[in-house]
């Protein structure tokens, strides 16, 4: 009963993200979940820059690919 394992392996791929530029903050947001064209950090309100991370694939139903 408690020995359930995820039968499907997680799909990992390079994903565009936005990272906070502040040295004191390590916040990042997936590109398909950003709030605007040039998002600001939701934690410290600093500027964010584009980057790439290898992450599990998550689809945002509000974004049309």
């Amino acid at each position: 009963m408690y020995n359930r394992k995820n039968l499907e392996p997680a799909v990992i791929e390079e994903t565009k993200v936005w990272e906070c530029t502040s040295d004191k903050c390590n916040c990042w947001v997936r590109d398909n979940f950003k709030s605007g064209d040039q998002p600001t950090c939701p934690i410290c309100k600093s500027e964010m820059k584009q980057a790439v991370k290898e992450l599990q694939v998550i689809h945002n139903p509000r974004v049309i690919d």
Side-chain angles (χ1 to χ4, degrees), residues 5-6 11-12 16 20 30 32 41 49 51-57 59-60:
K5 293 184 181 179
N6 192 0
V11 178
I12 305 292
K16 292 182 200 175
C20 183
R30 291 173 186 261
N32 61 345
C41 178
K49 64 178 181 176
V52 176
K53 290 183 178 257
E54 291 205 5
L55 302 170
Q56 183 175 352
V57 175
H59 296 286
N60 185 352

Side-chain angles (χ1 to χ4, degrees), residues 22-38:
S22 173
D23 293 335
K24 298 178 182 179
C25 182
N26 63 355
C27 182
W28 58 271
V29 178
R30 291 173 186 261
D31 186 60
N32 61 345
F33 285 87
K34 68 184 180 189
S35 59
D37 290 337
Q38 181 64 38

Side-chain angles (χ1 to χ4, degrees), residues 3-16:
N3 197 14
R4 294 184 189 176
K5 293 184 181 179
N6 192 0
L7 300 177
E8 296 180 20
V11 178
I12 305 292
E13 68 179 29
E14 286 189 352
T15 306
K16 292 182 200 175

